[in-house]
Amino acid sequence: MKIGLLASNPDLYSNQRIIEAGEARGHEMMFLNIKQCYMKMDREQPEVHYRGGTVLNDLDAIIPRIRPSMTFYGCALTRHFESLGVATLNGSVAITQSRDKLFSLQLLQKSGLDIPTTGFANSPMDTTDLIEMVGGAPLIVKLLEGTQGRGVVLAETRKAAESVINAIKSLRANLLVQEFIKEANGKDLRCFVIDGKIVASIERVAAPGEFRANIHQGGTARLVKITPEEKKLALLAAKTLGLRVAGVDIIRSKKGPLLLEVNSSPGLEGIESATNIDVAGAMIDAIEKKLHWIKPKKVDLNLSAEPSSA
């Protein structure tokens, strides 16, 4: 098959591993820089072009790995590929709604899944009640557009919380206020879901003095055995958002496991290193399954063999 990896950085570990995994299975893999793709919309002959003219309509599938800053354009490209009949590992609608932290939490809540108590408001006049809504300080303040732990602040006192919330609102940025789960002690779970199955799970531990367990913020990862309740929560979260591939983040609390976030382009380095599981290969397997691809059988042509006597 001819598979395109729709992303931004060809040198990223995750992207290199997916290319390697696809080539190891005999597929033609193409790295497609999102910024260098463009679309032709036409009733009779819609197309996607790349780098000055290469037409990409002959792709069998694409794997979208869209960074937050490229969500709008990356999802537009994914939609266009979908309209051409190109299979996508994660669909444009699923990626779009998972990227919107507020919308995704509303969808998860609507499906009856447990999340940390979260508040959202538009006016600075609501700051005091917003803080009370989530149980007071300490609390977490999150930018809706943040990722990999960026745009997440721990406000340890009410005064600090008011200052952070009002400062961010003054910049006209959207934010969530969320209860702080102290008993988690700087740890969370990352469950990697592919096609309705958890292929790998790790526990991420924050660096000393840090409350965010993200690997990109200096956290470390180790293999972990998740509970049946945590497994069910992760699978339902991915299903609710319509993601065939998802990194589901869960935190352990006194109330039981709580969903933190669902990532449509989860990184592979931390989870592959900690578990020694070929997660990239499992992603390629998911595309093969979606397209009902059957690996060609090798034909053994032993020309040196002597003909048998009749």
Side-chain angles (χ1 to χ4, degrees):
M1 289 191 295
K2 192 172 183 180
I3 302 172
L5 177 60
L6 191 63
S8 297
N9 182 1
D11 299 322
L12 196 67
Y13 172 93
S14 300
N15 296 336
Q16 290 183 343
R17 282 287 298 118
I18 292 169
I19 294 288
E20 290 170 4
E23 290 176 343
R25 284 161 173 75
H27 302 300
E28 181 183 349
M29 302 295 294
M30 292 182 65
F31 180 86
L32 303 174
N33 190 311
I34 293 173
K35 289 184 177 180
Q36 296 176 13
C37 293
Y38 51 104
M39 298 163 275
K40 174 187 175 184
M41 283 159 277
D42 179 79
R43 183 178 66 84
E44 295 184 357
Q45 197 175 9
E47 294 172 339
V48 177
H49 287 225
Y50 188 58
R51 285 184 174 172
T54 303
V55 180
L56 300 175
N57 291 34
D58 62 339
L59 291 177
D60 295 294
I62 61 163
I63 301 174
R65 289 189 59 83
I66 303 167
R67 63 171 53 175
S69 62
M70 294 299 296
T71 297
F72 174 78
Y73 193 63
C75 285
L77 281 169
T78 303
R79 271 195 307 276
H80 207 60
F81 276 116
E82 289 169 334
S83 72
L84 297 173
V86 178
T88 60
L89 192 51
N90 274 334
S92 57
V93 172
I95 296 170
T96 300
Q97 61 191 20
S98 68
R99 275 288 159 80
D100 185 329
K101 284 188 174 70
L102 177 60
F103 186 30
S104 63
L105 285 174
Q106 289 172 323
L107 289 172
L108 295 170
Q109 170 196 267
K110 185 179 179 181
S111 294
L113 303 182
D114 289 324
I115 60 174
T117 301
T118 305
F120 177 78
N122 184 58
S123 170
M125 293 174 62
D126 303 317
T127 299
T128 299
D129 192 39
L130 197 61
I131 292 171
E132 290 298 329
M133 192 185 294
V134 300
L139 55 79
I140 302 293
V141 181
K142 292 183 176 181
L143 288 175
L144 292 191
E145 294 79 15
T147 186
Q148 296 178 342
R150 302 187 195 96
V152 181
V153 178
L154 170 62
E156 299 193 55
T157 65
R158 172 179 288 276
K159 186 174 182 180
E162 290 174 349
S163 297
V164 171
I165 292 169
N166 291 333
I168 293 175
K169 283 185 177 180
S170 70
L171 298 174
R172 297 184 180 179
N174 289 314
L175 59 86
L176 294 173
V177 175
Q178 203 165 68
E179 67 172 316
F180 176 59
I181 309 299
K182 185 178 180 180
E183 62 269 23
N185 198 27
K187 300 175 184 177
D188 68 16
L189 306 175
R190 162 59 65 89
C191 301
F192 209 108
V193 179
I194 300 179
D195 267 344
K197 296 180 180 178
I198 296 178
V199 298
S201 299
I202 54 174
E203 181 179 62
R204 302 184 299 187
V205 183
E210 178 61 74
F211 72 96
R212 296 166 294 181
N214 304 72
I215 304 299
H216 287 84
Q217 299 299 329
T220 55
R222 61 192 181 199
L223 187 65
V224 67
K225 184 176 181 179
I226 61 173
T227 67
E229 190 179 4
E230 290 161 350
K231 178 180 179 180
K232 181 180 179 182
L233 189 61
L235 293 178
L236 284 174
K239 183 178 181 180
T240 296
L241 298 183
L243 293 168
R244 291 173 64 94
V245 173
V248 182
D249 296 340
I250 294 172
I251 196 166
R252 288 170 168 168
S253 76
K254 293 176 182 177
K255 298 180 285 187
L258 301 174
L259 273 170
L260 286 179
E261 194 170 342
V262 184
N263 194 322
S264 61
S265 298
L268 304 184
E269 187 169 10
I271 204 157
E272 285 197 337
S273 300
T275 65
N276 290 319
I277 293 173
D278 182 11
V279 178
M283 294 174 67
I284 301 297
D285 291 342
I287 291 178
E288 293 176 351
K289 180 181 176 182
K290 184 172 184 177
L291 292 177
H292 307 289
W293 184 79
I294 300 174
K295 186 176 181 180
K297 292 183 179 179
K298 291 183 179 180
V299 179
D300 185 13
L301 298 176
N302 190 354
L303 301 179
S304 62
E306 295 183 5
S308 60
S309 58

